[in-house]
Amino acid sequence: MGRWGRVLVESVQRKNDAGIRFVAGCTGTPAKARDWAAEQGIRLHDSFDAVLADPEVEAIVLATPHRQHAEQVIAAAHLGKHVFVEKPFTLSKASAEAAVAACRTAGVVLALGHNRRFLPATTDMQRLLAQGALGTVLHAEGHISGPAAAAWKEGMWRADREESPLGGMGGMGIHMVDMLICLMGPFAEVTVQSLRRVSPHVDDTTAMLARFASGATCTFATLSLAPQTWRVALYGTKGSLEMRGQQQLVFVPVPGEGEAWIRDYPKVDIEAAELAAFAAAAAGGQAYPLPLDQAIHGVSVFETMIGAAASGSSYAVA
């Protein structure tokens, strides 16, 4: 029931078409959450184990420090609870694989909170790629930044370099890595520069040059002390396609391949959408639209980026 836990609860409660009901939770700062939880009708337990033991709890939503995710997912799976986990999934490929294996063995749904997959612009980008509108995609660019690290203080887990390797990657950059996987397929190799230029705690500037298994190249950056930015662009032999922010898509063709266009989209509550999709999957409906092999691969890319940044060399993605 920390800040992001509250965002997820309030987002669903604004428009609850999925019939989701939050009945219990826990937080590392109960004094800050007690009044709010009471207003929401949520029992505030004193531990994660107590939440798991609550007979009314059928599914778990995790918005906890990154290094706790794998152990918590596995514990929930062993008790037959479906699990929605905020990104990043885990911080190592091995722990991600263990969490997925536990959920598959238990027969429970495991969903990862990469909410940009629920943007209408993302759906249209996938459709246009499938139709061959860009021809052969040669290169992708991704950028996601924000000023969040300015509020991180000593003692906060996000200000811990062990919890936030590569600075903004855990809180922001991993979203763009997932988007690039969603659109371009698996990564093959990464080269990373990650620097702490201004922040007293974690890296504030992380940049990557990468290659996909398809052969296409990629540039990517995430800055934790910069204005809010979301941009992903694909460049192909027939044209380019760029998502500017989360509500606009721009197509620019090469000569002879049609007309340029700009498409605007209404704002979508993507936090509510991802939890509704999780609830539907847990109820036996349509599968959650983020394949678990891609969830594992996203963690593998992150882990590889950490190693590449530390060594100053290119690393192959496992």
Side-chain angles (χ1 to χ4, degrees):
M1 293 295 111
R3 186 193 71 82
W4 193 241
R6 296 186 194 191
V7 168
L8 293 173
V9 171
E10 291 171 349
S11 184
V12 166
Q13 291 183 342
R14 281 194 295 271
K15 184 181 179 183
N16 195 354
D17 295 335
I20 301 169
R21 186 167 69 96
F22 291 91
V23 297
C26 66
T27 176
T29 54
K32 293 181 179 179
R34 190 170 290 113
D35 291 344
W36 177 86
E39 291 171 3
Q40 307 297 322
I42 297 172
R43 293 188 292 278
L44 202 59
H45 290 303
D46 60 4
S47 70
F48 179 67
D49 287 342
V51 174
L52 289 180
D54 192 315
E56 278 199 274
V57 173
E58 299 176 357
I60 300 292
V61 176
L62 295 175
T64 52
H66 310 148
R67 288 185 293 177
Q68 297 178 16
H69 288 176
E71 182 179 337
Q72 291 173 337
V73 169
I74 292 168
H78 285 167
L79 291 176
K81 315 283 188 180
H82 304 290
V83 187
F84 176 96
V85 56
E86 257 304 317
K87 51 73 203 161
F89 181 13
T90 70
L91 294 179
S92 72
K93 182 183 180 184
S95 62
E97 289 175 330
V100 167
C103 289
R104 284 177 171 158
T105 299
V108 298
V109 171
L110 173 59
L112 177 58
H114 282 305
N115 46 33
R116 272 71 167 186
R117 289 196 179 222
F118 295 87
L119 291 169
T122 302
T123 301
D124 279 354
M125 290 185 84
Q126 292 176 298
R127 176 179 56 80
L128 289 163
L129 283 168
Q131 292 172 351
L134 299 187
T136 299
V137 180
L138 305 173
H139 182 75
E141 295 177 0
H143 189 117
I144 177 171
S145 291
W152 297 351
K153 309 297 183 185
E154 194 67 36
M156 295 174 63
W157 67 264
R158 286 197 182 275
D160 180 349
R161 293 179 69 84
E162 294 297 316
E163 286 286 1
S164 297
L166 307 188
M169 270 302 300
M172 297 180 296
I174 194 67
H175 274 309
M176 184 57 71
V177 167
D178 179 73
M179 177 60 63
L180 291 165
I181 293 169
C182 175
L183 297 174
M184 295 293 296
F187 282 78
E189 184 180 76
V190 300
T191 305
V192 179
Q193 292 283 319
S194 194
L195 310 169
R196 183 171 63 87
R197 299 187 60 206
V198 179
S199 170
H201 307 296
V202 298
D203 292 355
D204 47 60
T205 304
T206 301
M208 174 174 72
L209 174 65
R211 180 173 53 84
F212 295 100
S214 68
T217 55
C218 172
T219 52
F220 159 79
T222 184
L223 312 175
S224 59
L225 288 174
Q228 204 75 37
T229 305
W230 170 269
R231 174 182 175 273
V232 56
L234 309 179
Y235 297 89
T237 54
K238 291 184 178 180
S240 65
L241 191 60
E242 179 181 358
M243 192 191 305
R244 296 177 181 172
Q246 298 182 19
Q247 295 168 242
Q248 188 177 79
L249 203 56
V250 179
F251 174 71
V252 179
V254 299
E257 292 291 345
E259 300 293 326
W261 50 258
I262 298 176
R263 187 172 299 161
D264 293 307
Y265 300 84
K267 187 174 182 179
V268 173
D269 189 335
I270 50 180
E271 283 77 32
E274 63 184 355
L275 287 180
F278 168 55
Q286 185 174 352
Y288 189 78
L290 197 169
L292 291 177
D293 62 329
Q294 293 186 10
I296 292 171
H297 184 66
V299 174
S300 183
V301 173
F302 190 5
E303 183 178 26
T304 306
M305 288 177 67
I306 295 168
S311 71
S313 62
S314 296
Y315 270 32
V317 178

